[in-house]
Amino acid sequence: MVVLVTGSSGQLGQSLQFIAPNYPQIDFVFCDTKNLDITSLENCETIFSNYKPDFCINAAAYTAVDKAESEPKKAFAINVIGAKNLAEVSKKFDTVLLHISTDFVFDGNKKTPYLEQDLPNPTGVYGQTKLDGEKAIQQVWEKHFIIRTSWVYSQFGNNFMKTMLRLASERDTISVVNDQIGTPTNAVDLAEILVKIILTDNRQPTTDNFGIYNFSNEGQCSWYDFAKKIFEINSISINLLPIPTTSFPTPAKRPSFSVLDKSKIKAAFNLSIKSWETSLESIK
């Protein structure tokens, strides 16, 4: 079984490389931007023609939420055109496409966990391009899994956990917003779920499992709570101050509540999902 992974140098791509040795039955092909530019349909076709993947995990994305506000064309090229190109070549080669999306497709005005069928309403360029990428895939190729996730961190790449640990080595006091609620997601847990979906082998054209799914770790917290737990686990003593979002203005508006309901993915793939705290402790 050949599984092609785009964006292999990012957090999720590195997490998939980390767990790949545990799955000898899968022939992983890892591609970063140097050998696969998803914004080029020709490049996508060449790679797919060479490897003829059974599955493609699209871990490539423009994820700089604030920068997207000033680089909308670049975000659109990667998150929309790139997704559409992969859907088109996946259709041509009968490849099942697993695409990663985000809680940012929602506006955050809900007070209960978001369901897959809730109406998206992104508030910024990043969320809008991710939503448009979802739609492009849905219009082109039915054999897809779109996985919406949130607050991704890991021992790899750049993320909130690593930023907090770096700041703690430089400062005595850190201020973190406490009025944005969501769920941290360990990228390694997300990687494991993607492999589980693949090994369930939903290549049969009669399957009704294709579509949109939510995945994050279990539970919910604020960014302040997340930071507090990071320092606690790493035995770091620091003056951590909770602040409102209004005290930390950013170019892109963040959803104030973006907890995702995972009932659908748990039922479809018989999953048991770790709490965010337990998962965070696993990469101490």
Side-chain angles (χ1 to χ4, degrees), residues 38-39 60-83 124-133:
I38 64 169
T39 67
Y62 183 107
T63 57
V65 177
D66 289 323
K67 217 171 170 186
E69 296 298 313
S70 56
E71 292 186 342
K73 286 182 181 174
K74 190 173 179 183
F76 183 86
I78 298 168
N79 292 345
V80 186
I81 302 300
V125 171
Y126 167 68
Q128 186 63 57
T129 59
K130 291 300 287 181
L131 178 60
D132 290 345

